[in-house]
């Protein structure tokens, strides 16, 4: 019926004004833009994965600038070591061999050196804590000896067990000049009654994380649940408090992604008490017990507290 047609809307009028083929060209350009964005995102992810693979699989020492205040984050190397400008590789008591590559990626081993010193080199794996206890007992290592650390870290629970055994035996700990003590390794360092980090030593922390390396057993220190992660963080901080180290250092660990490492400066090491030239004094907890009255109304004398008590 004439006159009953609905007049075209604004959008329809706009489309009808477009030159022939413009709509198809617009659709094509849009699809091309979407495809380019997808390719870019895939390339970015592939580049990141390649960089991460190069970092985790690298076995040659990696030259890196030494950290300075405000510039302390460096890549985390799980199977080699960083080397600062004009610096070399560490010398470890009793150890004659490579200090990166195989030595870093392999399970931690212990070497007795003259004078009662011990070198610990390699990854801290599940069971390393028990192996250290057995080694120290077999070698007759006594109080006053020093455990020299060179490790990319590993199992948190074993690092905690190692620290407590070191403190129980009253041993000292040290990271040698240009040595590497990363991830869970600083927890072991904290166990020493005295603690030292040599010139150019790399002592760094990051979030609790298990690095997946082909050909190596996967070490899972925490599960997927938030409660397990929180429990692990609490155990780390509890150990640091127990060892006389400022637990605030673990804030730096929690702020640093697992693929990176927050490297402590000399000032940090001192401020957080990660290094300690002298043993902490014996702590006296609580006031002396009050004098107990006797039947005659006189006070009983309370023995003086021993400085070694507790």
């Amino acid at each position: 019926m004439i006159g009953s047609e609905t007049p075209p809307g604004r959008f329809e009028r706009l489309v009808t004004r477009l030159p022939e083929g413009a709509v198809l060209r617009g659709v094509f350009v849009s699809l091309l833009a979407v495809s380019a964005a997808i390719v870019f995102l895939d390339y970015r992810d592939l580049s990141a994965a390649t960089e991460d693979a190069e970092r985790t699989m690298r076995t040659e020492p990696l030259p890196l600038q030494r950290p300075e205040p405000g510039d302390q984050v460096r890549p985390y190397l799980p199977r080699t070591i960083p080397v600062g400008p004009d610096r070399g590789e560490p010398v470890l008591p009793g150890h004659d061999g490579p200090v990166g590559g195989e030595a870093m990626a392999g399970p931690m081993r212990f070497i007795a050196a003259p004078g009662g010193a011990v070198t610990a080199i390699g990854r801290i794996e599940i069971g390393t804590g028990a192996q250290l206890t057995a080694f120290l007992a077999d070698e007759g290592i006594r109080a006053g000896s020093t455990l020299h650390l060179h490790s990319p870290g590993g199992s948190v629970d074993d690092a905690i067990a190692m620290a407590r055994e070191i403190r129980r035996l009253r041993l000292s700990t040290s990271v040698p000049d240009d040595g590497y003590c990363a991830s869970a390794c600083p927890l072991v360092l904290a166990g020493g009654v005295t603690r030292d980090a040599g010139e150019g030593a790399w002592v760094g922390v990051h979030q609790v994380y298990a690095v997946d390396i082909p050909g190596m057993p996967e070490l899972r220190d925490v599960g997927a649940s938030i409660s397990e992660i929180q429990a692990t963080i609490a155990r780390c901080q509890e150990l640091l408090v127990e060892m006389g180290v400022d637990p605030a250092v673990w804030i730096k660990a929690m702020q640093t992604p697992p693929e990176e490492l927050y490297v402590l400066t000399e000032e940090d090491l001192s401020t957080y008490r990660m290094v300690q030239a002298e043993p902490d004094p014996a702590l006296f907890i609580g006031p002396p017990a009050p004098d107990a009255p006797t039947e005659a109304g006189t006070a009983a004398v309370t023995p003086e507290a021993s400085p070694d008590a507790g």
Side-chain angles (χ1 to χ4, degrees):
M1 181 176 175
I2 299 175
S4 62
E5 294 88 349
T6 303
R10 181 179 300 176
F11 178 74
E12 186 178 351
R13 291 196 303 271
L14 179 62
V15 171
T16 56
R17 291 175 186 170
L18 292 174
E20 186 178 350
V23 174
L24 291 178
R25 285 195 299 273
V27 171
F28 174 76
V29 170
S30 298
L31 290 175
L32 188 62
V34 171
S35 299
I38 292 174
V39 170
F40 170 75
L41 293 175
D42 286 346
Y43 174 77
R44 187 183 64 180
D45 292 344
L46 180 61
S47 297
T50 301
E51 289 178 5
D52 196 57
E54 290 176 354
R55 175 185 62 83
T56 58
M57 297 303 295
R58 184 185 180 99
T59 57
E60 291 298 315
L62 179 65
L64 287 177
Q65 286 293 326
R66 290 289 307 167
E68 295 181 357
D71 177 30
Q72 295 171 242
V73 176
R74 298 292 182 271
Y76 170 55
L77 305 172
R79 56 185 305 167
T80 188
I81 60 171
V83 178
D86 302 320
R87 301 295 306 182
E89 299 180 4
V91 176
L92 303 167
H95 176 72
D96 182 17
V99 292
E102 250 181 62
M104 287 290 97
M108 179 171 277
R109 55 197 182 99
F110 305 104
I111 305 161
V118 174
T119 284
I121 180 170
R123 282 188 60 83
I124 302 168
E125 298 194 347
I126 296 172
T128 300
Q131 292 167 8
L132 174 64
T133 298
F135 177 88
L136 296 176
D138 291 344
E139 295 293 330
I141 304 300
R142 297 289 180 261
S145 298
T146 299
L147 181 71
H148 300 267
L149 294 164
H150 187 54
S151 169
S155 167
V156 170
D157 287 336
D158 282 80
I160 291 173
M162 293 169 71
R164 290 203 167 110
E165 179 65 7
I166 289 166
R167 183 60 60 92
R168 185 185 73 82
L169 294 177
R170 306 292 295 172
L171 306 180
S172 294
T173 52
S174 175
V175 181
D177 293 351
D178 303 303
Y180 187 46
C181 184
S183 190
C185 178
L187 296 174
V188 184
L189 175 64
V193 291
T194 66
R195 305 175 287 276
D196 176 66
E199 185 177 354
W202 301 79
V203 180
V205 295
H206 63 180
Q207 295 169 2
V208 177
Y209 174 66
V211 179
D212 299 329
I213 301 177
M216 292 180 58
E218 186 177 1
L219 302 178
R220 294 289 180 188
D221 293 318
V222 295
S225 73
I226 297 298
S227 63
E228 288 178 350
I229 294 173
Q230 290 175 332
T232 300
I233 293 170
R235 289 198 300 276
C236 294
Q237 293 177 315
E238 181 182 41
L239 175 83
L240 295 175
V241 171
E242 184 181 331
M243 299 297 138
V245 176
D246 187 345
V249 70
W250 215 248
I251 295 175
K252 301 299 183 183
M254 292 185 288
Q255 292 173 333
T256 307
E259 68 274 8
E260 296 178 336
L261 197 69
Y262 184 90
V263 183
L264 302 172
T265 62
E266 290 184 14
E267 183 179 356
D268 286 339
L269 291 168
S270 178
T271 299
Y272 293 124
R273 294 168 55 85
M274 285 298 300
V275 296
Q276 180 86 343
E278 298 291 335
D280 285 322
L283 298 179
F284 175 73
I285 301 175
D291 294 341
T294 65
E295 290 184 1
T298 58
V301 178
T302 303
E304 293 184 4
S306 166
D308 296 328

